[in-house]
């Protein structure tokens, strides 16, 4: 039993060096992308359309619902302690700094990681990747880097959009429960919005976007010949993205409070 467990652990860890090398290769190609791959910019636009534009509705609903729940429940709870003003600090920290980025990352992973891994896996099984190589086209430059840019930008913009909806939405909902002046509400939000909160939120969104794009394309290329491997690649892309996102979220959060 222990032998099987050790083999499974070694098998999992064996992917890490390849994943690190793959990440380095993407970063290197990123610097030459603007000059070399004008045709691939269409892929960035399509990726932004799918990952960013089409996710706006679900992100807005989730942000408003979460922000309103935090504001209404937090106000009632903190009022009993005479600390109702702390609800704005609570709202900013949860929406912009902690839960916001990771929830957006989960939405993007659920929607885009599977789609990207499946798309690239299908290209592998249908020999499209081999065709690109035979024509002198680097699949990393043409297929991976545009998706890397598109997903990372989408995560950045969706995170900002989530914060706006999650911070302004509670004011709209509160008008039906306990009306608050818009000027006072916005002033309280801005008062509790620190530079560190904005920096941590932006850093998380960018890193999470990089993780999703790298992991999903990596497992898409891991498909070999059989089409039955494609769903497995999609599942692996989602599960591994979740794992790395949670890991880096914990690391960034700890570092932000320590520093």
């Amino acid at each position: 039993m222990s032998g099987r467990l050790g083999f499974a652990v070694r098998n999992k860890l064996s992917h890490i060096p390849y994943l690190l090398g793959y990440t380095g290769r993407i970063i290197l190609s990123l610097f030459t992308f603007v000059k070399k791959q004008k045709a691939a910019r269409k892929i960035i636009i399509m990726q932004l359309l799918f990952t960013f534009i089409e996710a706006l509705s679900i992100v807005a609903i989730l942000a408003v619902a979460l922000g309103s729940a935090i504001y209404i429940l937090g106000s009632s709870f903190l009022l009993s302690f005479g600390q109702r003003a702390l609800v704005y600090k609570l709202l900013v920290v949860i929406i912009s700094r902690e839960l916001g980025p990771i929830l957006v990352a989960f939405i993007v992973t659920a929607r885009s990681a599977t789609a990207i891994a499946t798309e690239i896996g299908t290209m592998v099984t249908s020999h499209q990747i081999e065709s690109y190589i035979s024509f002198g086209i680097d699949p990393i430059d043409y297929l991976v880097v545009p998706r890397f840019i598109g997903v990372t930008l989408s995560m950045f913009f969706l995170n900002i959009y989530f914060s706006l909806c999650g911070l302004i939405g509670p004011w709209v909902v509160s008008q039906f429960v306990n009306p608050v002046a818009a000027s006072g509400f916005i002033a309280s939000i801005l008062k509790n919005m620190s530079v560190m909160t904005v920096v941590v939120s932006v850093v998380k969104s960018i890193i999470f976007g990089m993780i999703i794009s790298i992991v999903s394309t990596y497992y898409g290329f891991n498909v070999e010949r059989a089409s039955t491997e494609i769903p497995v690649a999609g599942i692996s892309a989602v599960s591994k993205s979740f794992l790395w996102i949670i890991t880096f979220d914990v690391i960034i959060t700890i570092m932000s409070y320590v520093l």
Side-chain angles (χ1 to χ4, degrees), residues 8-258:
V9 172
R10 288 193 299 271
N11 187 45
K12 296 295 183 183
L13 294 177
S14 65
H15 287 279
I16 295 179
Y18 294 102
L19 189 58
L20 291 175
Y22 180 71
T23 302
R25 176 67 176 79
I26 294 173
I27 300 300
L28 289 175
S29 296
L30 191 62
F31 292 107
T32 58
F33 175 79
V34 177
K35 296 181 180 179
K36 291 173 58 178
Q37 297 295 334
K38 293 183 179 180
R41 293 175 189 174
K42 182 179 179 181
I43 301 178
I44 298 179
I45 296 173
M46 297 303 296
Q47 193 66 58
L48 285 169
L49 176 64
F50 176 74
T51 305
F52 174 53
I53 301 299
E54 294 185 8
L56 289 176
S57 57
I58 186 172
V59 168
I61 293 171
L62 181 60
V64 172
L66 180 62
S68 301
I70 293 170
Y71 180 74
I72 294 172
L73 297 176
S75 297
S76 301
F77 179 75
L78 293 172
L79 184 63
S80 61
F81 296 96
Q83 300 291 332
R84 187 178 183 278
L86 290 177
V87 71
Y88 298 101
K89 180 69 173 179
L90 185 67
L91 189 63
V92 168
V93 170
I94 293 178
I95 293 296
S96 295
R97 180 168 177 161
E98 301 301 338
L99 280 185
I102 197 168
L103 287 178
V104 173
F106 284 170
I107 293 173
V108 172
T109 299
R111 297 185 74 255
S112 298
T114 307
I116 293 173
T118 301
E119 182 181 14
I120 292 181
T122 303
M123 289 182 177
V124 173
T125 57
S126 62
H127 305 289
Q128 293 183 49
I129 302 300
E130 294 177 4
S131 299
Y132 285 133
I133 295 173
S134 66
F135 281 102
I137 300 174
D138 191 332
I140 301 295
D141 292 337
Y142 186 74
L143 298 175
V144 177
V145 174
R147 286 167 174 80
F148 177 86
I149 296 172
V151 173
T152 304
L153 288 177
S154 296
M155 263 299 307
F156 174 75
F157 291 132
L158 281 175
N159 186 51
I160 295 175
Y161 178 71
F162 184 97
S163 294
L164 290 175
C165 293
L167 295 176
I168 303 301
W171 175 80
V172 178
V173 175
S174 69
Q175 301 309 299
F176 300 96
V177 181
N178 185 20
V180 180
S183 58
F185 185 92
I186 294 174
S188 298
I189 291 293
L190 294 177
K191 181 180 178 181
N192 289 279
M193 181 71 74
S194 64
V195 175
M196 180 58 73
T197 297
V198 176
V199 170
V200 171
S201 180
V202 170
V203 169
K204 283 186 176 181
S205 65
I206 293 174
I207 290 179
F208 293 166
M210 294 170 63
I211 289 171
I212 295 167
S213 58
I214 291 171
V215 172
S216 58
T217 54
Y218 175 78
Y219 281 97
F221 280 122
N222 270 352
V223 174
E224 295 181 359
R225 297 292 180 182
S227 58
T228 53
E229 298 177 35
I230 297 175
V232 177
I235 294 171
S236 297
V238 171
S239 60
K240 296 303 187 298
S241 294
F242 282 159
L243 176 62
W244 286 108
I245 287 168
I246 294 171
T247 301
F248 274 89
D249 181 69
V250 172
I251 293 172
I252 296 170
T253 299
I254 293 174
M255 289 178 63
S256 66
Y257 284 107
V258 170

